[in-house]
């Protein structure tokens, strides 16, 4: 993954950040916060004036992270992820609640759970989800283990809101999972 910071903030992004701030400042439970932030994000997805041209740029080798906003108190960040065809994340979970909305293209997500056993825990696939432009999903740890991939033949862009300061942390990923995946599930 490569990370860049925004050259500018569009007026629409500034409005979205203000809407997110209003939700986050309520201090609600993480899962409810994610749900309400998702409601605010959805109407902006696909709007041509949400991201600048620079914030739509991908990288041929890795998906690219553009940090669009990091709240000064560290309570949330807004990030655009740009995926070229076939690019994907590792299997991971997150440091905080998260909302992801597809701005352009589509993303495939495989969700997992850890299954204890006699030996090391196995990752068990629980659900495959394909999110198209305009669709939003959200979650809060624990239970947020997944892998995301651009499975379409063109560039995909998603907008993510995390309940953490991604600019300071460098990533929203808490842990990468390298356990074997239970292929019988």
């Amino acid at each position: 993954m490569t990370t860049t910071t925004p050259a500018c903030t569009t007026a629409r992004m500034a409005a979205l950040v203000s809407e997110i701030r209003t939700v986050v400042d309520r201090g609600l439970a993480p899962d409810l916060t994610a749900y309400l932030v998702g409601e605010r994000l959805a109407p902006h997805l696909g709007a041509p004036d949400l991201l600048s041209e620079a914030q739509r740029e991908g990288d041929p080798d890795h998906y690219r992270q553009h940090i669009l906003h990091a709240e000064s108190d560290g309570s949330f960040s807004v990030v655009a992820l740009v995926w070229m065809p076939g690019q994907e994340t590792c299997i991971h979970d997150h440091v905080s609640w998260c909302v992801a909305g597809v701005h352009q293209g589509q993303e495939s997500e495989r969700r997992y759970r850890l299954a204890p056993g006699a030996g090391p825990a196995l990752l068990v696939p629980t659900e495959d989800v394909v999110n198209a432009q305009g669709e939003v999903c959200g979650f809060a740890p624990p239970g947020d283990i997944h892998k995301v991939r651009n499975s379409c033949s063109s560039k995909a862009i998603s907008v993510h809101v995390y309940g953490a300061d991604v600019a300071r942390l460098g990533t929203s990923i808490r842990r990468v999972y390298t356990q074997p995946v239970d292929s019988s599930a």
Side-chain angles (χ1 to χ4, degrees), residues 24 33 74-77 95-99 161-166 169 172:
V24 171
T33 298
S75 60
F76 72 92
S77 301
V95 298
S96 68
W97 59 265
C98 174
V99 173
V161 183
Y162 300 105
D165 186 345
V166 173
L169 297 173
S172 67

Side-chain angles (χ1 to χ4, degrees), residues 42 44-47 101-107 131-136 157:
H44 297 278
L45 296 171
V102 179
H103 181 64
Q104 174 183 319
Q106 72 178 29
E107 292 177 354
N131 293 305
Q133 190 274 317
E135 294 183 321
V136 174
I157 302 173

Side-chain angles (χ1 to χ4, degrees), residues 97-179:
W97 59 265
C98 174
V99 173
V102 179
H103 181 64
Q104 174 183 319
Q106 72 178 29
E107 292 177 354
S108 297
E109 177 188 15
R110 175 164 275 186
R111 298 175 183 170
Y112 299 87
R113 69 176 173 80
L114 280 174
L122 288 176
L123 285 166
V124 177
T126 61
E127 186 176 15
D128 287 309
V129 179
V130 176
N131 293 305
Q133 190 274 317
E135 294 183 321
V136 174
C137 64
F139 50 81
D144 61 321
I145 304 169
H146 69 160
K147 177 179 188 170
V148 180
R149 179 175 193 271
N150 177 359
S151 57
C152 63
S153 61
S154 60
K155 181 191 303 183
I157 302 173
S158 51
V159 177
H160 298 237
V161 183
Y162 300 105
D165 186 345
V166 173
R168 182 179 60 79
L169 297 173
T171 183
S172 67
I173 294 173
R174 177 176 71 121
R175 179 176 32 203
V176 171
Y177 291 84
T178 57
Q179 288 93 334

